[in-house]
Amino acid sequence: MSRENLFNEEAIAKLKELAEDIRFAIMGTNLNSIPPHLIPMSTKDVDEDGCVWFLSSSESEHNQNINKDNNIQLIYSKPDQMSFLTVFGQAVIYKGKVVVERYYGSADDAWFDGVDDPNLTAIKVIPKEAQYWDTESGKFISLLKMGIGAITGDKPDLGEHGDLNIPLSN
């Protein structure tokens, strides 16, 4: 894989592309504990500043952990496409209809009692560090390139990876 660090708008665009394509993240809270608390979460949005948004219950263990220590780790994985993203940042919990209405969809009825659920919150993750691994061609082509590389002795270009340097103005 070739290394390509991305900056500013290009970094935000890559984060948005991967997070919204993969959609589900493993959210890690209580990071100073072994083991940390890990839970699958559905990404609702990556905004224009590169912040990642989720919906959650105020009574959840991860919300309680964020209230104690807002450091958070997100891990995205789509092995069939050979796409991966990790984001470390700080989480902010929002409670209020204006914010949660923006991200609420009918599928969320499985978890909440509608947009007026008194426990409904939005979690905003402000990225501090992010890394990505991505191939344009997917798993099959990557495996084919590896096979050709093994035969020819050439190192195949299997995609790109690097840091996503997002401005800290959020």
Side-chain angles (χ1 to χ4, degrees), residues 23-36:
R23 197 165 152 227
F24 287 94
I26 296 296
M27 177 185 285
T29 59
N30 199 22
L31 300 180
N32 291 324
S33 176
I34 298 178

Side-chain angles (χ1 to χ4, degrees), residues 1 3 10 15 17 41 44 67 74 76 81 91 102 105 110-111 115 117 119-120 125 132 135 137 140 143 149:
M1 293 196 128
R3 183 165 183 87
E10 195 174 23
L15 188 148
E17 171 195 334
M41 295 287 285
K44 292 299 181 177
N67 285 326
L74 303 175
Y76 291 87
Q81 295 296 316
R102 181 175 177 189
W111 302 100
V115 73
D117 186 324
N119 296 316
L120 181 59
V125 177
Y132 75 102
T135 62
S137 52
F140 177 75
L143 291 172

